[in-house]
Amino acid sequence: MMEHGGNLDVAIARFGGRVEDWIDLSTGINRRPYPVGGVEERHWRALPSRAEVDALHEAARQAYGTTAPVLATAGAQAAIQLLPRLAPPGRARILAPTYNEYAPVLREAGWTVEEVEDFAALAGADLAVVVNPNNPDGRGSDPAHLLASLPRVGRLVIDESFADAQPGLSLAAEAGRAGLLLLRSFGKFFGLAGLRLGFVLGCEADIADLAVMAGPWPVSGIAIEIGRRALADRAWAVATTARLLRDAARLDALARGAGWKLVGGTPLFRLYEVGDATAAQERLGRAHIWSRIFGGRAGWLRLGLPGSDAEWARLETALEP
């Protein structure tokens, strides 16, 4: 498995404590999740119906502002695993540095993979991948610029897993175009990553092919019901977006006070240049606050946003001189 955040077992092995003792800020998962409420027993007991799946897909279309075909998957990662099979192996180019699962998945399927740092270098690829906003630095790509690049590549995949709180970056309204695929994550913004729910938006032919690959019942009845309910709750989404924007600014202020420099981020996570990221991670780890560092970037440390007053207070104390 590639290195990811959320590996609290590593944190506990190094610094002790129990899972419930830790504040996990190593991911970009919202720590104030959607209030699920009760779920009828039938969603646990029965296979999902076609009507229930269709209702989830329609809720996703409404939430993301699209009329394009949609496929629900067991998280955005499940969709990434299927991408190499949409076409015979060829040349893939990935705008990097970015989420570290695309390159190995494509290489394992026989694709030639190049990681490029210049947007123009994507041209000529059979498959081009852009994460927008980017993980881990939050870099945003102009949607019009992305759309203009579509004729220059065989297929353009845009990972919008962190776009919920930045809808202006999304190309969901254009997702029905041939050669364009969008990936959306449900669990990050709604704080329910354990539900394993994501979506692919694309043209009819691509979504039909992906649906065949995914097989029957690619997501659970519980994921369908909770996902449909949450996606339809636009008031919660608007209020959560506003809170995340405020909290991102609050975290940046704390980081500045600690002498850290903002590299970038999204309303769900922030990336800082801290000098010695390993030392900074250990400092936080002793307070049972977990963070993310990156091999090859000795000064980079990423933090998600605390979810409660108590979590903010612990972080503030940990960062005091």
Side-chain angles (χ1 to χ4, degrees):
M1 178 182 291
M2 297 294 292
E3 180 185 339
H4 298 288
N7 49 344
L8 273 181
D9 52 343
V10 174
I12 291 169
R14 287 174 60 185
F15 301 103
R18 304 162 299 167
V19 169
E20 55 267 32
D21 298 328
W22 281 82
I23 302 172
D24 186 2
L25 303 184
S26 68
T27 75
I29 299 167
N30 183 358
R31 288 189 61 81
R32 289 174 60 177
Y34 182 78
V36 171
V39 179
E40 293 181 23
E41 186 178 349
R42 64 184 177 87
H43 295 297
W44 293 101
R45 294 171 59 90
L47 288 171
S49 70
R50 183 71 259 172
E52 289 168 335
V53 174
D54 288 345
L56 174 63
H57 288 166
E58 182 57 28
R61 276 189 286 266
Q62 293 295 322
Y64 300 143
T66 187
T67 58
V70 175
L71 175 68
T73 61
Q77 183 62 45
I80 293 171
Q81 302 295 137
L82 299 177
L83 287 177
R85 296 165 55 191
L86 272 175
R91 180 188 296 113
R93 290 179 179 153
I94 302 169
L95 190 61
T98 194
Y99 182 56
N100 62 11
E101 284 288 346
Y102 282 98
V105 166
L106 287 161
R107 288 192 180 106
E108 181 66 23
W111 286 74
T112 300
V113 178
E114 302 172 45
E115 297 188 9
V116 302
E117 296 185 8
D118 179 50
F119 187 86
L122 296 172
D126 300 301
L127 176 66
V129 178
V130 178
V131 179
N132 192 36
N134 192 45
N135 174 15
D137 61 11
R139 175 188 62 225
S141 297
D142 180 4
H145 195 186
L146 288 170
L147 201 59
S149 72
L150 186 57
R152 303 187 184 100
V153 299
R155 179 175 280 108
L156 176 62
V157 175
I158 304 177
D159 185 329
E160 296 185 348
S161 289
F162 287 100
D164 291 73
Q166 295 176 274
L169 291 178
S170 178
L171 271 174
E174 306 291 340
R177 293 177 180 241
L180 178 63
L181 278 177
L182 304 186
L183 274 56
R184 300 292 296 238
S185 168
F186 172 85
K188 294 178 177 63
F189 179 72
F190 288 95
L192 299 170
L195 202 64
R196 305 312 305 138
L197 179 61
F199 299 93
V200 189
L201 288 61
C203 69
E204 186 172 347
D206 281 351
I207 295 302
D209 287 345
L210 288 168
V212 171
M213 295 179 209
W217 313 297
V219 295
S220 70
I222 293 297
I224 290 169
E225 171 59 17
I226 294 173
R228 180 200 59 76
R229 189 187 304 175
L231 288 164
D233 193 342
R234 302 319 297 161
W236 184 90
V238 169
T240 296
T241 297
R243 175 186 60 80
L244 289 171
L245 290 168
R246 292 192 302 269
D247 285 354
R250 179 179 179 181
L251 185 56
D252 289 346
L254 274 180
R256 283 194 302 272
W260 297 351
K261 181 180 178 182
L262 179 68
V263 176
T266 75
L268 283 165
F269 65 81
R270 315 302 284 169
L271 180 67
Y272 302 106
E273 172 58 55
V274 301
D276 185 340
T278 299
Q281 185 182 57
E282 290 179 353
R283 175 183 178 184
L284 294 171
R286 288 191 292 271
H288 288 172
I289 299 170
W290 196 224
S291 57
R292 175 84 189 274
I293 60 176
F294 301 86
R297 301 278 184 169
W300 278 13
L301 182 136
R302 194 185 71 182
L303 288 177
L305 278 58
S308 67
D309 289 342
E311 291 185 357
W312 279 104
R314 275 179 58 183
L315 180 60
E316 290 170 3
T317 299
L319 291 180
E320 287 176 353

